[in-house]
Amino acid sequence: MTDAVGSIDMPDAQDEAPESKKGRKGGKRGKKGPLKRLALFYRQIVAELRKVVWPTRNQLTTYTTVVIIFVVIMIGLVTVIDYGLSNAAKYVFG
């Protein structure tokens, strides 16, 4: 039985798993000690942080203000809904 890709008996070339070399257990990381791996991790963190586009002080102030205003509005909305549901429960259940 065949389908659009190939037969069931013969898998596609890309589906076959590549044979790995015997005797290597962790690749390059397996050969390094814990301190070298920790240093590599730290260097990678610093390299990634250099790629970050940091906001300017003006942008940071604007974003912080927007978040604080949004949180205050949501607190007010939840308070009003809670007060309304509380009064509705008192009205229904006495």
Side-chain angles (χ1 to χ4, degrees):
M1 174 183 235
T2 62
D3 56 8
V5 177
S7 69
I8 294 175
D9 298 330
M10 297 295 295
D12 295 333
Q14 63 207 19
D15 292 341
E16 295 176 7
E19 295 181 18
S20 61
K21 297 179 182 178
K22 294 181 180 178
R24 287 186 74 183
K25 284 191 178 174
K28 292 181 181 178
R29 286 185 279 173
K31 295 182 179 181
K32 295 183 180 178
L35 291 178
K36 288 186 179 182
R37 286 187 298 177
L38 187 62
L40 174 64
F41 180 68
Y42 178 73
R43 284 195 307 271
Q44 289 174 345
I45 289 174
V46 171
E48 287 297 321
L49 285 175
R50 287 186 180 145
K51 295 178 188 177
V52 174
V53 179
W54 297 99
T56 63
R57 183 174 293 274
N58 189 21
Q59 290 173 332
L60 189 63
T61 305
T62 303
Y63 297 156
T64 304
T65 304
V66 167
V67 167
I68 290 173
I69 290 172
F70 177 77
V71 168
V72 168
I73 289 171
M74 292 307 295
I75 288 172
L77 183 65
V78 169
T79 302
V80 168
I81 291 172
D82 183 46
Y83 181 74
L85 290 175
S86 173
N87 283 341
K90 286 179 186 176
Y91 177 75
V92 171
F93 299 112

